[in-house]
């Protein structure tokens, strides 16, 4: 089990996946909060049954899967529904994350979570690593990969912690503003050496 945990976070479109992929190439175990969130609402799960009862059958697609895009649009326009969903899912997601951390075998592991700080998941980690990029870059990157409208992307950004506040929690920062993939890779290599050393020290 990895006892040294790095929490990786950043706003939407900041490049978290690119960074975590480079860590994965170094054989570092990755625990992804988004994947944990999908696991807890798999067909047949108690959470999915509760969501269907609360929001209606039209939030479930023909394959029995949660319609995540429809649900995301709903909760960003209805704060009470968002609060209900969070109270249902957050404990389950946290439990799934802890189960995956317990299975990690690398010298340290990475917990990737867009809402690491907002959902208090940083309390599970030893260090916080923030991928930083400015808002205009977030919007252009997300719009290029995602069918969401610019207005919806801006709402998502507004729902996340402001960049300056996020950076105040950071132990380490990867700058992804106007940088090449090779530069990102080098920043990851440098951090990996640092984390390998820190993981050897007694907690």
């Amino acid at each position: 089990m990895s006892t040294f945990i790095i929490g990786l976070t950043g706003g939407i479109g900041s490049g978290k996946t690119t960074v975590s992929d480079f860590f994965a190439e170094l054989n570092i175990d990755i625990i992804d909060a988004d994947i944990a969130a999908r696991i807890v609402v798999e067909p047949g799960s108690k959470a999915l049954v509760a969501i269907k009862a609360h929001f209606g059958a039209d939030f479930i697609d023909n394959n029995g899967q949660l319609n995540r895009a429809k649900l995301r649009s709903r909760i960003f326009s209805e704060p009470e529904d968002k609060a209900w969903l969070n109270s249902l899912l957050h404990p389950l997601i946290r439990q799934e994350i802890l189960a995956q951390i317990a299975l990690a075998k690398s010298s340290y592991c990475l917990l990737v979570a867009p809402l690491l700080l907002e959902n208090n998941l940083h309390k599970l980690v030893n260090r916080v690593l923030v991928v930083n990029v400015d808002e205009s870059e977030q919007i252009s990157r997300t719009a290029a990969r995602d069918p969401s409208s610019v207005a919806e992307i801006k709402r998502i950004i507004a729902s996340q912690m402001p960049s300056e506040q996020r950076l105040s929690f950071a132990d380490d920062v990867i700058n992804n503003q106007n940088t090449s993939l090779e530069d990102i890779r080098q920043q990851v290599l440098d951090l990996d050496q640092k984390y390998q050393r820190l993981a050897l020290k007694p907690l």
Side-chain angles (χ1 to χ4, degrees), residues 1 11 13 22 24 30 41-42 49 74 84 91 103 107 126 134 142 167 169 176 182 202:
M1 175 180 172
F22 282 143
I30 310 296
V41 293
E42 286 178 342
V49 171
R74 171 71 172 266
W84 180 88
L103 296 174
S107 56
N126 300 98
D134 70 25
T142 306
L167 287 169
F169 284 89
N176 197 17
E182 195 51 46

Side-chain angles (χ1 to χ4, degrees), residues 5 34 51 55 61 83 97 106 121 127 140 143 146 149 168 173:
I5 307 162
D34 283 346
I51 289 169
F55 291 101
D61 67 20
I97 286 170
S106 50
L121 292 173
R127 293 181 74 85
S140 62
D146 197 302
S149 66
S168 73
V173 177

Side-chain angles (χ1 to χ4, degrees), residues 3-196:
T3 57
F4 196 73
I5 307 162
I6 308 300
L8 172 64
T9 193
I12 186 172
S14 60
K16 295 180 296 296
T17 301
T18 299
V19 170
S20 66
D21 285 349
F22 282 143
F23 275 104
E25 288 178 6
L26 300 173
N27 296 316
I28 300 304
D29 289 328
I30 310 296
I31 294 94
D32 190 320
D34 283 346
I35 292 175
R38 290 187 181 96
I39 289 171
V40 302
V41 293
E42 286 178 342
S45 65
K46 290 182 180 179
L48 191 63
V49 171
I51 289 169
K52 181 179 179 180
H54 185 86
F55 291 101
D58 55 336
F59 282 81
I60 311 299
D61 67 20
N62 293 333
N63 297 317
Q65 302 275 353
L66 177 65
N67 187 328
R68 298 174 68 84
K70 187 180 179 79
L71 184 62
R72 184 171 70 178
S73 295
R74 171 71 172 266
I75 65 173
F76 275 113
S77 59
E78 299 290 344
E80 289 185 2
D81 284 334
K82 183 178 181 179
W84 180 88
L85 188 68
N86 286 345
S87 67
L88 171 71
L89 295 183
H90 284 180
L92 299 173
I93 293 168
R94 187 185 183 94
Q95 185 178 2
E96 177 63 28
I97 286 170
L98 288 170
Q100 291 191 29
I101 287 173
L103 296 174
K105 297 290 194 296
S106 50
S107 56
Y108 66 92
C109 65
L110 214 65
L111 169 57
V112 184
L115 300 178
L116 182 85
L117 304 170
E118 292 89 336
N119 292 344
N120 287 321
L121 292 173
H122 62 291
K123 294 180 179 178
L124 301 178
V125 308
N126 300 98
R127 293 181 74 85
V128 173
L129 170 58
V130 170
V131 186
N132 194 48
V133 68
D134 70 25
E135 186 171 315
S136 62
E137 190 77 7
Q138 286 181 267
I139 294 169
S140 62
R141 287 180 183 177
T142 306
R145 74 171 194 215
D146 197 302
S148 301
S149 66
V150 170
E152 186 168 2
I153 294 166
K154 286 183 175 179
R155 284 200 300 273
I156 293 170
I157 291 172
S159 75
Q160 296 180 337
M161 186 176 287
S163 177
E164 299 79 12
Q165 187 179 358
R166 186 183 296 115
L167 287 169
S168 73
F169 284 89
D171 297 293
D172 305 291
V173 177
I174 284 184
N175 174 34
N176 197 17
Q177 184 71 30
N178 300 320
T179 51
S180 66
L181 283 176
E182 195 51 46
D183 184 53
I184 297 296
R185 186 193 298 272
Q186 188 57 55
Q187 291 184 67
V188 168
L189 287 171
D190 292 343
L191 284 170
D192 174 65
Q193 291 182 357
K194 178 179 182 177
Y195 295 154
Q196 295 285 0

